[in-house]
Amino acid sequence: MKEVYEFLKKCGTYYLATVEGDQPRVRPFGTIDVFEDKLYIQTGKVKEVSKQIQANSKVEICAFAEGKWIRVAGTLVRDDRIEAKKHMLDSYPSLQAMYSAEDDNTEVLYFENATATISSFTEAPQVIKF
């Protein structure tokens, strides 16, 4: 999982795909964190993406850097603990102007039963399960 985190951190921006009914939805994200050996992302509960994840927690993210791309598929699980939110916000100080570990909007979610695939045009895919 550390390799997945480092790849996504290097990319800076990744794209998160959710489902709304039968319509796929994709948007850019930039938060990625490891807390208690789990890979986390962050959003706000008031956003449509949060509502989509709560309705169907199966998601996929995709990112590209240095001739390689990664796809991470799995289930997202909400973690309402202040410690998890604080860890994420400490990793991204710029978010502290919009979010707080104590507010009712900040949402952190971790991947469960995830499979990451790192691919390129010149190497065999690398599969990482976590």
Side-chain angles (χ1 to χ4, degrees):
M1 183 191 52
K2 182 180 178 190
E3 187 172 355
V4 174
Y5 167 77
E6 289 173 358
F7 191 103
L8 291 169
K9 197 74 170 163
K10 176 175 49 177
C11 290
T13 300
Y14 60 88
Y15 296 87
L16 174 75
T18 59
V19 180
E20 185 176 53
D22 67 349
Q23 178 63 50
R25 301 289 183 196
V26 180
R27 80 274 296 148
F29 263 65
T31 53
I32 196 74
D33 193 24
V34 174
F35 178 68
E36 295 181 347
D37 296 321
K38 295 178 182 164
L39 188 69
Y40 279 77
I41 68 168
Q42 184 274 331
T43 191
K45 290 180 183 175
V46 298
K47 295 182 177 181
E48 290 301 311
V49 66
S50 174
K51 295 170 190 162
Q52 293 157 7
I53 292 167
Q54 295 313 307
N56 182 348
S57 60
K58 291 182 180 179
V59 302
E60 187 163 301
I61 62 178
C62 185
F64 183 86
E66 300 174 357
K68 294 183 178 184
W69 59 95
I70 189 170
R71 291 174 52 211
V72 182
T75 302
L76 287 177
V77 178
R78 180 186 281 169
D79 187 341
D80 283 324
R81 295 177 301 153
I82 288 176
E83 296 85 1
K85 294 176 186 180
K86 184 171 179 1
H87 195 274
M88 175 67 78
L89 294 174
D90 286 348
S91 297
Y92 292 90
S94 63
L95 292 178
Q96 294 175 15
M98 299 181 298
Y99 296 101
S100 163
E102 292 84 17
D103 70 24
D104 194 38
N105 181 42
T106 301
E107 180 175 45
V108 293
L109 308 110
Y110 64 86
F111 274 93
E112 186 174 74
N113 301 319
T115 301
T117 306
I118 300 174
S119 303
S120 76
F121 290 116
T122 59
E123 300 173 20
Q126 176 185 4
V127 177
I128 303 164
K129 294 183 182 281
F130 58 97

